[in-house]
Amino acid sequence: MIVYASRTGNVRSIVTKLDGESIEIYDGLLLTEPFLLITYTDGLGDIPAKVARFLEQNREYCKGVAVSGNSNFGHHVFGGAGEKIAETYQVPLVRKLDLRGYQADYEVIQTFYETRVKG
Ligand SMILES: Cc1cc2nc3c(=O)[nH]c(=O)nc-3n(C[C@H](O)[C@H](O)[C@H](O)COP(=O)(O)O)c2cc1C
């Protein structure tokens, strides 16, 4: 399963480039299977609040995280949500994407998904 959060549509666009079942995070969502998390970055390198709430409930099934950010924020905070999630929940940071990312990003994420989430 691919689980994602998107505020302005970039992550939603990334998810459409991937092959796999997906679900958007909502408050109260509980998963009972392994998932790849894809999120945007908020604040100054922060995890979006609803993603943080989701992870508190679902951390055991999280196999990795891919993150979208905007590199114009500067490299200290670019994609910071992904770094924080990887560190806090001890999961791989699969890829950082600038806004909607590129084909090479989708290929890396798809391979991870096939081998480490679905597989
Ligand atoms: C209020 C606000 C704060 C943001 N802070 C960061 C940031 O600290 N680091 C970063 O890389 N991107 C930051 N971004 C950029 C978003 O993470 C980026 O545009 C992302 O692609 C949005 O994904 P979405 O369209 O799926 O919501 C911020 C965007 C907004 C609106």
Side-chain angles (χ1 to χ4, degrees), residues 6-11 40-41 43-45 68-70 73 77-79 99:
S6 186
R7 182 166 53 194
T8 61
N10 290 340
V11 173
Y40 60 95
T41 301
L44 279 179
S68 171
N70 181 340
F73 278 82
V77 294
F78 171 48
L99 302 173

Side-chain angles (χ1 to χ4, degrees), residues 11 16 19 21 43 52 67 77 96 101 115 118:
V11 173
T16 68
D19 183 19
E21 207 183 335
V67 67
V77 294
K96 269 193 202 184
T115 56
K118 257 176 67 182

